[in-house]
Amino acid sequence: MADTVKGTVSPHLTRLLVRAGLAAGLDRSRLAGVPGLAVLDENGIRIPTATCLRVWEVISSPAWEAGGSKRVMELWRPGSLGVWDYLFSVSGTLGDALRVSSRHFTAIADPADRLLVTRDDGGGTTAGWQGPYRDHPEYPMIAEFVPYMLLTLTSLAAGRQLTPVRVRLPHRPPADVRRLVELYGTSDIEFEADHPSITFAEADMDAPLPRADPALAAILDDHARLSTAAARPVLGWLDRFHAVLESAVASGPPGLDQVAGRLAMSPRTLQRRLREEGTTWREELERLRQRRVDRLLRETSLSVESIAARVGFTDSRALRRAIHRWYGHGPAAIRASGPA
């Protein structure tokens, strides 16, 4: 099953992100050209993971200015994340709920993502998310969102607002942590962790849930597995190309031969297919690099040398030449202008 849905996600979270962006004032035209959005409202499908990541990029500024993770989850209603939502409330305990939601994480996420649930020595339970996106420009926001999403779902299942024992985040601490303290309801927030996680108290994890339904839990467990296996990946040819290119860039400077091989075609056929779509290999690689460079310059403090390495340029001089070609000026002017 993992092979059939590799490189795809359920559309549920992407729908929620789009709604949050539009509610925050995002111009709908910014979403034009994002692959996969044309079928976003269909049921029984999976869309490219690259589509979800691209939506994170587009909504990041307006949504985070309007409240970030809290704003996104304010629009959530039971069922907004499909069957995965309901796995929480019908389980016997929150510990059970986290374990079953971990087992069926692919119901909303890419198979490359992992929700790891572990019992701590002190008796608490930690749910941590690991995914291959550490170099993605929006990784800090996604890493902030996942623990809050879990806090929202577990609190609803418990019928009361839970207070986490601890939250760990992978990025450096912001100048003012009060927003995060308010978001998670705890001041015990650790930064620069290996991956984001949230830890709940032993008493919270073992307490019976008010709407526990063992028979329905068994039915939903089967449904989560079967619906994921039966979902239809909606990947047009150009969508598949974009997904493979995103993945290749994350691993280092991509080559035409490498990407063509992942698409099971020859480099010559790949170039021909791109011409038929009205684009070229060079143009597609340039667009992807420009988008990533722009985001990293505006919203991180990474050096030009670090950005060059992350985006696949041979060195910082090659990146500076590209920036001058794109904008007519150097990286300092882009960084000074702040978030787009």
Side-chain angles (χ1 to χ4, degrees), residues 212-230:
D213 188 329
L216 183 54
I219 292 171
L220 292 178
D221 186 276
D222 281 343
H223 179 64
R225 176 177 54 82
L226 294 172
S227 61
T228 302

Side-chain angles (χ1 to χ4, degrees), residues 30 50 52-62 136-138 141 246 288 291-292 295 299:
R30 292 282 308 280
C52 188
L53 293 173
R54 179 67 182 123
V55 168
W56 272 109
E57 291 183 36
V58 173
I59 75 157
S60 59
S61 292
H136 193 276
E138 310 314 327
M141 279 178 282
E246 287 268 5
L288 178 59
R291 189 166 70 243
R292 289 193 164 208
R295 182 72 63 183
E299 300 186 2

Side-chain angles (χ1 to χ4, degrees), residues 189-203:
I189 303 175
E190 298 177 11
F191 296 92
E192 300 185 86
D194 288 339
H195 57 269
S197 67
I198 184 167
T199 301
F200 297 96
E202 180 179 11

Side-chain angles (χ1 to χ4, degrees), residues 30 41 44 47 73 83 103 119 141 179 185 230 237 289 292 309 321 328 332 335 337:
R30 292 282 308 280
D41 292 330
I47 62 173
M73 290 307 292
V83 66
R103 190 165 67 248
R119 194 83 173 193
M141 279 178 282
R179 182 183 67 82
W237 182 82
R289 283 175 163 172
R292 289 193 164 208
R321 287 196 297 270
R335 175 154 275 165
S337 64

